[in-house]
Amino acid sequence: MDRLAAVSLLEELGSHDREDLAKRCSWRTFRKNQLVVESQSDDRDVYFLVKGSVRIVNYSLSGRPVAYATAEAGAYFGELAAIDGRPRSASVVANEDSQLAALAPEAFVGLMRSHPNIALAVMRRLAGIVRSCDERIMDLSTLGAMQRVIMELCRLAKPDPITAGSWIIYPCPAQREIAARASTTRETVARVFTQLQESQQIRRKGRSLYLSDKAALEALALRLAPGGGN
């Protein structure tokens, strides 16, 4: 049984090598909203997400959650602490019942040393994190809350595989999660959703959110005056 077959980072390994790696992992299950990793903890393991999904989050001094990302089955996280040996930079919470395989930091570093393509994939992911942080810092420095919500929707949107030229967010995160991503309040997100729905720029259907014109939304965010939300 190839238990790590869905983990994209490990695609270049053969099924036998992946199963050998699986045997070196500690396998853990977490319930919805259960803490997986705590910020500033000394845990250094790298986690392969085999089933379910998790959210990576931190908290401001006032206790407001600041969401960094959501990871789905097939993803991995925790490589920063495994590489630099420092405490965790964020917390990880299960979005739903999830199964994870935890690999010791020494084993993860050894995996990168013996497989250069895996090491390169990790470096590319870290480069993406740096770029994303740069974008978020710029947003916080130059955009108002309403603008940040709109830009977050544009980041989350993917091309609709059914309707050409349309964009979709599926599954659409809860408003409180979007608020955490945009560093604002749920009330502001609700207000933005209402305005965009009334102007027919977004449409919700079940767990999907459709953007009628992503480029127009991005242009709208840039036209809005900074400080327009709270």
Side-chain angles (χ1 to χ4, degrees), residues 138-156:
M138 182 61 70
D139 284 356
L140 288 170
S141 301
T142 62
L143 302 181
M146 184 173 181
Q147 292 170 294
R148 296 198 302 273
V149 172
I150 294 174
M151 293 303 294
E152 192 59 43
L153 293 179
C154 291
R155 288 193 187 99
L156 291 170

Side-chain angles (χ1 to χ4, degrees), residues 185-203:
T185 64
R186 190 195 64 77
E187 291 75 16
T188 296
V189 174
R191 186 164 63 247
V192 173
F193 269 50
T194 297
Q195 293 177 8
L196 296 179
Q197 286 172 325
E198 289 177 349
S199 61
Q200 298 184 343
Q201 290 171 294
I202 63 173
R203 176 174 58 90

Side-chain angles (χ1 to χ4, degrees), residues 143-179:
L143 302 181
M146 184 173 181
Q147 292 170 294
R148 296 198 302 273
V149 172
I150 294 174
M151 293 303 294
E152 192 59 43
L153 293 179
C154 291
R155 288 193 187 99
L156 291 170
K158 306 295 181 186
D160 186 347
I162 298 176
T163 305
S166 181
W167 295 77
I168 185 173
I169 302 174
Y170 177 85
C172 185
Q175 290 185 355
R176 65 177 181 277
E177 183 177 342
I178 295 174

Side-chain angles (χ1 to χ4, degrees), residues 102-119:
L103 183 66
E106 299 82 5
F108 182 72
V109 172
L111 178 68
M112 290 194 295
R113 284 175 172 163
S114 58
H115 295 276
N117 286 340
I118 289 179

Side-chain angles (χ1 to χ4, degrees), residues 3 16 20 22 26 35 54 64 101 116 136 151 179 197 210 215 220:
R3 292 175 289 176
H16 180 74
D20 282 345
S26 298
L35 183 67
V54 300
R64 175 188 286 181
R136 288 176 179 271
M151 293 303 294
Q197 286 172 325
Y210 295 90
L220 172 63

Side-chain angles (χ1 to χ4, degrees), residues 55-168:
R55 60 185 181 273
I56 302 168
V57 64
N58 221 328
Y59 297 90
S60 68
L61 292 177
S62 64
R64 175 188 286 181
V66 179
Y68 293 156
T70 297
E72 305 288 343
Y76 69 97
F77 59 87
E79 70 275 23
L80 283 178
I83 292 170
D84 67 13
R86 297 181 62 185
R88 294 294 189 189
S89 60
S91 295
V92 179
V93 181
N95 279 331
E96 56 186 307
D97 292 354
S98 301
Q99 183 181 39
L100 298 100
L103 183 66
E106 299 82 5
F108 182 72
V109 172
L111 178 68
M112 290 194 295
R113 284 175 172 163
S114 58
H115 295 276
N117 286 340
I118 289 179
L120 182 59
V122 172
M123 286 190 286
R124 285 173 173 160
R125 171 178 155 88
L126 294 177
I129 292 173
V130 172
R131 289 182 182 274
S132 177
C133 288
D134 286 346
E135 291 178 0
R136 288 176 179 271
I137 291 170
M138 182 61 70
D139 284 356
L140 288 170
S141 301
T142 62
L143 302 181
M146 184 173 181
Q147 292 170 294
R148 296 198 302 273
V149 172
I150 294 174
M151 293 303 294
E152 192 59 43
L153 293 179
C154 291
R155 288 193 187 99
L156 291 170
K158 306 295 181 186
D160 186 347
I162 298 176
T163 305
S166 181
W167 295 77
I168 185 173

